[in-house]
Amino acid sequence: MQAVVYYNPGDIRVEERPEPAPAADNLIVRVRACAICGTDLKLATIGNPRCHPPRIIGHEMVGHIVYSGTEVQGFMVGERITLATTVACGNCPYCASGLGNMCPNAKPISYDFDGAFAPLLAVPPMALAGGNVIKVPDGVPEDAATLSEPLSCAINAQELTGVKAGDRVLIVGGGPLGALHAEVAKVLGAADVMVVQRSEPRLSLLRKLRDVRVIDGAAEDVAAIVKERTEGLGADVVIVCAPSREAQEQAIGQARKGGAISLFASLPKGASDITLDSRIIHYGELRVVGASDSRPEHVTRAVQMMVAGKIDWQRLITHRLPLAEIHNGLRLMQEKQSLKVLIYPGG
Ligand SMILES: [Zn+2]
Ligand SMILES: [Zn+2]
């Protein structure tokens, strides 16, 4: 079968790979669609030592079960599923406290197990045991279901940050995750959702989202607009989706007293020192919150949001390509031409 395989940093190949083998304790899934993640782009550029080559990549997937081993319980041939990426060990202190996404022994799909940029994928027993396989009800369109995993990361971050009904939410960085964050904030009842983005065509793509105030960070005065829309107070929650030191440093100045800041995007290793005015945090009782990855429960909540029809997935997916054009899709991401790009392994 044709698959997208990671070899080395910047070395991603479309090549022939053997089909995954059915076993008594696994599932074989026919992949219908798989979205390109920022981590896939990272592999295609600077690489990631956690990914063990040669490895089929891709994890934001939807597919249907074509084989279910005799020892597998709870899944039947024909059912549609998506995956929570990080397969936790289930035995460490973090797993014991419900923080499987912090598990030091975790084995992410597409790093330790072959992923979904291929027509067939084997779900390993460890993923079945970890609850990483989430069923997708019939009412959810296939393309929409590919967004469950990236949505789950936004849900985790907004739950940690405490986004609630009536909040004014400022999202800094309007790439795919910034756009997904905007949708999640609306579902959680935010009264005002503002997204800062600096470049076209993403500005135009974001302006198609409903009930989102898109701020052109290059041409407009972001601080003045946030003040104006919040009676001079600042945002209840600021979510930094831009991998930018400057954006992280400025975020505490954009939150209201008692507000929260989510450092959602990570800065590059070795260039992640930032300077924060701790007096603003201290006197403003601000919370600066990290967020990384997600757990199966968040993917389940993302699927539920899709079932409820609350996510504007049509406008979040901007490009659709066959598997052979993966490099084209990665280029669209790198050049910031797209929001989410979908890959169809079946052509
Ligand atoms: Zn992802
Ligand atoms: Zn663990």
Side-chain angles (χ1 to χ4, degrees):
M1 63 180 187
Q2 286 279 295
V4 177
V5 183
Y6 171 72
Y7 276 88
N8 290 296
D11 182 2
I12 303 271
R13 304 177 200 171
V14 177
E15 63 177 20
E16 195 64 23
R17 298 284 289 179
E19 292 187 355
D25 56 359
N26 77 0
L27 296 175
I28 304 293
V29 175
R30 182 160 292 281
V31 180
R32 303 290 297 179
C34 183
I36 300 178
C37 176
T39 59
D40 299 319
L41 179 59
K42 198 171 167 188
L43 293 172
T45 49
I46 60 172
N48 184 333
R50 293 180 67 200
C51 184
H52 305 294
R55 176 71 59 217
I56 299 174
I57 61 172
H59 57 265
E60 299 178 357
M61 60 77 69
V62 63
H64 62 262
I65 298 168
V66 292
Y67 166 85
S68 178
T70 52
E71 294 169 15
V72 176
Q73 291 182 348
F75 293 97
M76 287 180 351
V77 168
E79 286 181 315
R80 286 196 309 169
I81 58 113
T82 187
L83 295 170
T85 308
T86 295
V87 184
C89 79
N91 296 314
C92 73
Y94 287 105
C95 286
S97 61
L99 291 172
N101 54 328
M102 300 287 113
C103 173
N105 314 313
K107 294 186 185 299
I109 288 159
S110 79
Y111 288 181
D112 291 279
F113 302 110
D114 278 339
F117 287 144
L120 295 168
L121 167 143
V123 177
M126 190 176 168
L128 285 159
N132 289 67
V133 187
I134 285 96
K135 292 183 188 182
V136 178
D138 285 345
V140 179
E142 265 166 5
D143 287 0
T146 62
L147 303 185
S148 305
E149 193 275 344
L151 271 172
S152 74
C153 299
I155 292 167
N156 178 39
Q158 294 197 25
E159 287 181 358
L160 286 167
T161 323
V163 175
K164 60 189 185 310
D167 277 358
R168 275 83 68 99
V169 177
L170 175 68
I171 297 160
V172 183
L177 261 307
L180 289 162
H181 265 293
E183 291 298 311
V184 172
K186 287 190 284 178
V187 175
L188 296 179
D192 192 15
V193 178
M194 299 165 270
V195 180
V196 183
Q197 171 63 22
R198 299 179 68 91
S199 59
E200 290 288 358
R202 278 189 175 159
L203 278 165
S204 299
L205 296 172
L206 292 166
R207 289 199 175 102
K208 292 177 184 164
L209 299 175
R210 281 189 292 263
D211 302 323
V212 173
R213 169 64 162 96
V214 180
I215 303 172
D216 181 343
E220 293 183 280
D221 184 342
V222 179
I225 292 170
V226 173
K227 282 242 149 79
E228 181 211 311
R229 294 176 75 86
T230 59
E231 300 92 40
L233 297 173
D236 296 284
V237 174
V238 182
I239 302 169
V240 185
C241 296
S244 149
R245 180 183 298 197
E246 192 187 23
Q248 290 190 348
E249 289 176 345
Q250 288 173 356
I252 62 161
Q254 291 161 329
R256 64 172 291 163
K257 290 185 184 351
I261 295 99
S262 173
L263 301 184
F264 184 79
S266 73
L267 297 180
K269 205 171 187 176
S272 56
D273 286 354
I274 61 170
T275 302
L276 293 180
D277 184 342
S278 71
R279 290 174 64 85
I280 299 176
I281 298 170
H282 172 85
Y283 287 106
E285 296 189 349
L286 296 182
R287 291 180 300 116
V288 180
V289 184
S292 175
D293 200 349
S294 69
R295 300 187 292 275
E297 71 213 57
H298 303 112
V299 180
T300 299
R301 289 207 268 289
V303 170
Q304 286 163 354
M305 287 180 187
M306 291 291 188
V307 170
K310 289 182 172 172
I311 302 292
D312 190 4
W313 59 273
Q314 291 97 330
R315 290 182 174 83
L316 296 170
I317 298 167
T318 57
H319 296 79
R320 294 169 164 85
L321 298 168
L323 183 132
E325 288 186 45
I326 183 74
H327 287 101
N328 193 11
L330 291 164
R331 182 186 54 77
L332 287 166
M333 297 268 289
Q334 184 159 32
E335 294 177 357
K336 301 184 176 162
Q337 301 285 325
S338 61
L339 292 176
K340 292 304 287 187
V341 179
L342 255 56
I343 297 292
Y344 298 96

